[in-house]
Amino acid sequence: MSENTVNLDRFDALVQSQEEGIEFDLLDEKGNPIGLKLGMVGPDSKRARQAMKDVAAEFSAKAQDKGTLVSAEDEEEERMVAFLSKVTTHWAPNPSIGGKAVSFSEENARTFFTRFRIFFEQAQARAVRRAPFAKG
């Protein structure tokens, strides 16, 4: 490799690790693990890129149904919840809410991220950054 080049091969590995995803512990308000792990793919993964398109189409259709193309201010968080539910791949073990085990699904993930802002924020912090997916 000459002095006049920059090797970008490591970025292929970064994208691959985003495709494979990560699993991380959810934390309580004191920073302690609660015993629930989330799996998630990275922002450059095919799944995340498709999620962005799907969320844009969903909210565009909603706006068209309302007869407006202007987004409501609270829609930004709703869009992020939709995105997170699409890039989250699993949780383990199943959480118990109201005494009932909740299995993973995109719909249940939307409910989860909407109801528990503390976990929404932790997932969002990983979903929009590449660093959590870097190996080594």
Side-chain angles (χ1 to χ4, degrees):
M1 190 104 10
S2 80
E3 289 180 25
N4 297 327
T5 64
V6 175
N7 185 343
L8 300 179
D9 293 340
R10 70 184 175 100
F11 293 101
D12 289 332
L14 177 61
V15 171
Q16 181 58 39
S17 70
Q18 291 181 62
E19 293 289 351
E20 293 166 4
I22 59 170
E23 187 176 80
F24 60 95
D25 289 302
L26 291 177
L27 307 176
D28 68 14
E29 69 282 3
K30 295 180 181 178
N32 299 314
I34 65 165
L36 179 62
K37 294 179 182 280
L38 284 186
M40 179 175 290
V41 295
D44 297 323
S45 68
K46 290 176 186 169
R47 183 173 176 156
R49 291 191 318 264
Q50 185 62 50
M52 290 173 61
K53 292 176 187 175
D54 292 347
V55 170
E58 175 187 335
F59 283 82
S60 177
K62 282 183 181 181
Q64 196 169 31
D65 288 347
K66 292 178 186 175
T68 180
L69 295 178
V70 179
S71 307
E73 284 184 33
D74 60 344
E75 193 176 275
E76 184 176 332
E77 187 169 313
E78 193 179 339
R79 282 176 180 260
M80 181 54 73
V81 165
F83 176 76
L84 292 176
S85 71
K86 291 179 180 298
V87 299
T88 301
T89 58
H90 66 279
W91 53 44
N94 287 336
S96 175
I97 301 173
K100 296 180 183 175
V102 180
S103 61
F104 179 79
S105 70
E106 184 179 321
E107 181 181 344
N108 287 344
R110 274 195 193 212
T111 302
F112 177 81
F113 290 127
T114 299
R115 180 170 176 177
F116 300 106
R117 183 159 179 83
I118 187 173
F119 305 131
F120 163 86
E121 290 173 353
Q122 291 173 49
Q124 181 183 25
R126 286 166 178 84
V128 299
R129 292 183 177 85
R130 292 171 182 89
F133 299 89
K135 306 261 178 175

